[in-house]
Amino acid sequence: MLSQCFLQTLSPDPEPRRRAESHLFDSASRPGFGLAVLRLVSLPNVDELIRHAAAVNFKNHLRSHWAPSPDSDPHPPITDEEKSEIKSHIVGLMLASSPRIQSQLSEALAIIGKHDFPKAWPTLLPELVASLRAAQDYASINGILSTANSIFKKFRYEYKTNDLLLDLKYCLDGFAAPLLEIFLKTASLIPANLNSADTLRPLIESQRLCCRIFYSLNFQELPEFFEDHMNEWMVEFQKYLTTTYPVLEDDKRGNGLAIVDGLRAAVCENINLYMEKNEEEFKGYLPGFASAVWSLLMTASASSSRDQLSVTAIKFLTTVSTSVHHSLFSDPNILQQIFDSIVIPNIRLREEDEELFEMNYVEYIRRDIEGSDLDTRRRIACELLKGIATNYRDKVKEMVSMKIQNMLASYGTNPAGNWKEKDCAIYLVVSLAIKTAGGSMVTTDLVEVESFFATVIVPELKAQDVNGFPMLKADALKFFTTFRNHIPKPVAVTMMPDVIRFLQSESNVVHSYAANCIEKLLLVKDEGRARYTSLDINPLVPLLLPNLFNALKFPESQENLYIMKCIMRVLGVVDVGGEIVGACITNLTAVLSEVCKNPKNPFFNHYLFEAVAALVRRSCEKDPSLISVYEACLFPVLQTILVNDVTEFWPYTFQILAQLVDIHMPPLPPNYMQLFELLLSPASWKRSANVPALVRLLQAFLQKAPHELNNEGRLAQVLGIFNQLVSASSTEELGFYVLNTVVENLSYEVISPYIGHIWGALFMRLQKNRTVKFVKSLVIFMSLFLVQHGHAVLVGSINAVQANIFVTILEQFWIPNLRLITGTVELKLTSVASTKLICESPALLNGSAELWGKMLDSIVTLLARPEQERVEDEPEVPDIGEAVGYSATFVRLFNAGKKEEDPLKECKGKLHTKFRQWFCCAHSDLFVSIHRACTTSDLLSVATAWS
């Protein structure tokens, strides 16, 4: 039955394939399924394709069932008896299988090892070692080494802990000596097989695997065994960097050169590791390796197939250049040789770069401007120069500056033929720029930026043909973007129309770079204020926005995130109205309707919704009547999202709807109230990713339609939502958002029938699962309640739950956590409420001078903390990170955010600085004196006068 199922999973006909996949999925939850699949893999009389499909299924089955994650979909774990049976067979079966099946079983074995090795699988390592020593062919040897490489990889990535070091010691004790044995044995066989490609190929691959295991076992620290046998390893390592293997390297039919370069790259990673972590022990071998790596780099071709080798080799030289052994680079002749023979050849444009520029603009940009190109030849060659410049800055500067001048002169003699010289010159300037401490500013001493911009960059930006020499245009735009802080505002504003023209370029890279340049310019600040305001950008809007929207129509740029991010940023700055509003919302909703059909680019889609929110916010601030325009355009597409269950966009939809509710003047139209009814339905709150957005929408309704809450039991439904949210630590803060909005917008007469339920829910949670975040939120809520309804109602309603419980709450929770409050409004609210409490309720604190003094101490401590500790700064502009995606997470729309209301607008001003400083140094002793010298009534008089 299993054999037939796996055969049908390979069928081109979708119907039997789906049935087979469904049957296998259901069967996977039954005991013994994994073992049955493994037995099928072991049967030699079954077709190889079926066995391979079974091996893949077995690997995936282990991934989800061996140790199921509590956060994943529920998968019944494999029983202990079945696990033992699988462990006892998998190694032998893997070694006896064909290469395709062997690779799958090796990965499956590594999955088991990740969870069980070594503590729950003590027999694995001895079994691998015994098999390694008994193996007669290199297919088996390499299978064992590949498995060992997989299970030892964890030593590269996990943090150093006592448990990890114990596991490492166990592996070293069991595998270090056998690893050296097979490494030296294979090394002795290589010279005798230099003329046989078929024999040499697995030998070289075996040594590469040994090098990768060497890297894993040495990553955390230098083991004693490897220190004692360092010479044996290093002699062979150097041999592989200096020996050629023509039978493989000259074989044009196979991948022989890649196999040899893979071994050399692994050696380079090992010696780089020793340079970084074991420099003292390694220093005797350094000169020989440095010479070998130099020679290797000078002979390595520019072919992309040798990129891995070039990158790892240059990394090693970079590490040496910043070490105490940097004197290897002190000779000007050696420096010049490295620069001319290693750096420049690796930063020159190759055919592969031009093809990437034209055929895969997303990957080109990812490497070029997003900092993802550290492992490319161009970037790593510049990193080598930076490393050498650490100790020889003047020599490097002189050498590079001269080269830049020569390249530009060469370009000047024949621009059409030598355009790559100019590309190389600009790349050197940009890549060797030094970031300042903050990270947003860059500087360079290779050229004078303004002069270079005027003479080298401006001619490219002024060129009328936006499609001519696109790589140079991209270079110019990249330079402008990189050094945007150094270009004077008048010059930049003058160049802006030229940058806008390049949005019309047919090159995806060029119009992407133009959009990125404009977007980054709008982020530039001078002394905390935006350098470019609406006054600067408004005159450009009639050209800028149409060009941006038209750029989205170019092939492959329909979901270009750089263009959409630029649209978002522009709409957040300019003053929009009239025809521009209509054109913008029409274009944005057209794009949104299209991406709803297949949401596949989370970054683009986020910026799209941010752009919509920015347009609504900016335009409706000046003209609220525009809301009807937005409703007419947005409601159909938002309805499509909800009706067609485009779940990726639900959180964004609820935030946009909340923004529209915020803008409306009450009473809300009937269609909004229908949405309110849907919002209160428990079914709407089942998806966790929607909850923060639903809370945002619920807050908007509570503010705009508070009187409707008393109708048809809606308030009870809202408080039910609050109760559900506040009961879980992941949503407790959201529950307080709902509760705070209710208290802010409803009179006490309306909420009084429910107040006992509210306090009961809060105190139950406080008793069962108390977190710092919950207690701080509780203090903020009680402060808001006091400010809104007075201390008598607060104290009375709490004590109605349990006699005199308020003093306990005050002593155990309010006073200790008051000093931890952050946020401008929250700090103001809690400090004022706490002061009102101790000044306006003498009966509450009668006879408790100590409690009074503790509360006063917390108030002053809160106010006396430095500004940066008390205030949570909100970023002015969003910059979306890796959190954006479709993994069922909520992503906030900055431009649709709720405006924070100040419940104490009438309280203005700040504590005088000197007064606050005096508090900082004097209040502790002062309070002690007051506690000892005064009666409670006197204290209250002091507090009243003080406040």
Side-chain angles (χ1 to χ4, degrees), residues 347-640:
I347 65 171
R348 287 193 186 279
L349 279 176
R350 297 173 297 168
E351 286 185 15
E352 291 90 338
D353 300 316
E354 295 181 68
E355 288 177 7
L356 194 66
F357 183 94
E358 294 174 4
M359 307 301 293
N360 189 350
Y361 84 95
V362 174
E363 178 62 17
Y364 182 90
I365 294 174
R366 186 187 70 82
R367 294 182 181 185
D368 192 45
I369 66 171
E370 291 185 359
S372 302
D373 64 337
L374 188 58
D375 286 341
T376 64
R377 289 187 180 214
R378 295 194 102 187
R379 178 58 62 89
I380 202 65
C382 286
E383 290 301 312
L384 173 58
L385 268 186
K386 286 181 181 179
I388 297 172
T390 305
N391 297 289
Y392 306 102
R393 181 74 192 173
D394 291 339
K395 292 180 182 178
V396 170
K397 177 185 173 183
E398 179 183 353
M399 192 167 52
V400 176
S401 298
M402 182 64 69
K403 189 67 176 178
I404 290 171
Q405 292 176 27
N406 292 339
M407 286 176 168
L408 293 176
S410 175
Y411 168 78
T413 61
N414 182 7
N418 295 336
W419 66 270
K420 290 184 181 181
E421 296 292 300
K422 185 172 185 177
D423 167 86
C424 195
I426 297 174
Y427 187 87
L428 275 172
V429 176
V430 172
S431 298
L432 294 178
I434 302 168
K435 282 191 175 182
T436 56
S440 61
M441 285 278 289
V442 295
T443 61
T444 182
D445 56 1
L446 294 175
V447 297
E448 202 285 310
V449 172
E450 289 187 46
S451 173
F452 191 88
F453 182 76
T455 57
V456 178
I457 304 301
V458 169
E460 294 299 331
L461 298 180
K462 288 289 185 182
Q464 293 307 300
D465 182 5
V466 295
N467 296 313
F469 295 100
M471 297 193 86
L472 283 184
K473 302 301 185 292
D475 291 335
L477 289 164
K478 181 182 175 184
F479 183 95
F480 194 0
T481 307
T482 303
F483 294 101
R484 57 191 179 275
N485 288 283
H486 297 276
I487 309 301
K489 179 177 177 178
V491 176
V493 171
T494 302
M495 296 304 303
M496 198 81 77
D498 294 298
V499 177
I500 293 171
R501 275 191 308 108
F502 283 102
L503 292 168
Q504 300 172 323
S505 172
E506 295 173 1
S507 165
N508 298 91
V509 175
V510 172
H511 60 242
S512 299
Y513 278 24
N516 183 62
C517 182
I518 295 166
E519 191 263 331
K520 291 294 186 286
L521 281 169
L522 295 181
L523 293 177
V524 175
K525 294 185 181 300
D526 291 325
E527 298 179 355
R529 294 185 178 182
R531 179 183 292 181
Y532 304 97
T533 65
S534 57
L535 294 176
D536 303 307
I537 307 302
N538 284 344
L540 303 171
V541 166
L543 179 66
L544 174 56
L545 284 173
N547 277 11
L548 282 167
F549 283 113
N550 286 333
L552 289 172
K553 299 173 184 176
F554 281 111
E556 298 185 33
S557 274
Q558 290 89 345
E559 295 188 25
N560 187 313
L561 68 93
Y562 302 98
I563 296 171
M564 188 51 69
K565 190 175 184 182
C566 185
I567 292 171
M568 173 203 75
R569 199 76 66 191
V570 170
L571 292 176
V573 172
V574 301
D575 298 322
V576 287
E579 294 180 4
I580 294 176
V581 166
C584 285
I585 196 62
T586 300
N587 279 299
L588 289 172
T589 50
V591 175
L592 182 53
S593 297
E594 196 60 33
V595 298
C596 282
K597 298 173 184 176
N598 181 21
K600 60 181 183 292
N601 189 334
F603 287 89
F604 175 85
N605 295 332
H606 180 87
Y607 293 132
L608 170 58
F609 278 99
E610 282 283 14
V612 172
L615 179 63
V616 173
R617 177 174 63 87
R618 291 281 296 174
S619 59
C620 287
E621 282 176 356
K622 297 185 179 298
D623 185 3
S625 67
L626 288 172
I627 191 170
S628 59
V629 176
Y630 295 126
E631 288 173 341
C633 289
L634 286 172
F635 272 13
V637 68
L638 296 181
Q639 185 177 13
T640 299

Side-chain angles (χ1 to χ4, degrees), residues 738-759:
V738 173
L739 189 57
N740 292 344
T741 311
V742 169
V743 170
E744 278 184 284
N745 292 281
L746 295 178
S747 65
Y748 186 69
E749 289 72 23
V750 175
I751 63 174
S752 59
Y754 306 94
I755 196 65
H757 157 78
I758 292 172
W759 292 124

Side-chain angles (χ1 to χ4, degrees), residues 14-177:
E15 194 53 41
R17 188 173 67 245
R18 288 196 192 100
R19 280 201 308 269
E21 289 170 350
S22 175
H23 185 74
L24 288 170
F25 181 82
D26 293 339
S27 301
S29 60
R30 299 176 189 169
F33 174 79
L35 196 56
V37 175
L38 189 62
R39 284 175 179 150
L40 175 61
V41 174
S42 70
L43 297 176
N45 59 327
V46 175
D47 187 270
E48 170 86 4
L49 283 175
I50 294 174
R51 294 170 62 209
H52 183 257
V56 173
N57 179 276
F58 176 74
K59 175 190 69 178
N60 293 330
H61 177 72
L62 296 190
R63 185 172 282 125
S64 56
H65 290 77
W66 193 271
S69 167
D71 300 326
S72 63
D73 294 333
H75 291 292
I78 299 171
T79 63
D80 290 341
E81 293 78 11
E82 187 179 352
K83 286 182 177 181
S84 297
E85 193 78 8
I86 289 172
K87 288 177 186 176
S88 67
H89 289 94
I90 191 169
V91 175
L93 179 56
M94 180 198 71
L95 297 178
S97 299
S98 64
R100 289 179 69 201
I101 294 174
Q102 187 180 80
S103 66
Q104 297 298 326
L105 294 181
S106 176
E107 289 183 46
L109 195 153
I111 292 168
I112 302 173
K114 178 183 176 183
H115 299 288
D116 289 15
F117 180 78
K119 294 181 178 63
W121 199 358
T123 60
L124 174 60
L125 197 60
E127 188 176 358
L128 288 176
V129 170
S131 300
L132 185 64
R133 285 175 168 156
Q136 298 298 314
D137 63 275
Y138 269 85
S140 298
I141 289 172
N142 290 351
I144 297 165
L145 292 176
S146 179
T147 300
N149 182 39
S150 297
I151 63 175
F152 294 155
K153 277 182 181 177
K154 72 174 186 176
F155 299 122
R156 305 182 201 172
Y157 308 121
E158 293 186 11
Y159 289 111
K160 184 186 288 189
T161 62
N162 288 336
D163 286 343
L164 186 73
L165 292 178
L166 284 172
D167 289 353
L168 176 59
K169 184 179 185 305
Y170 171 82
C171 294
L172 287 166
D173 291 345
F175 205 80

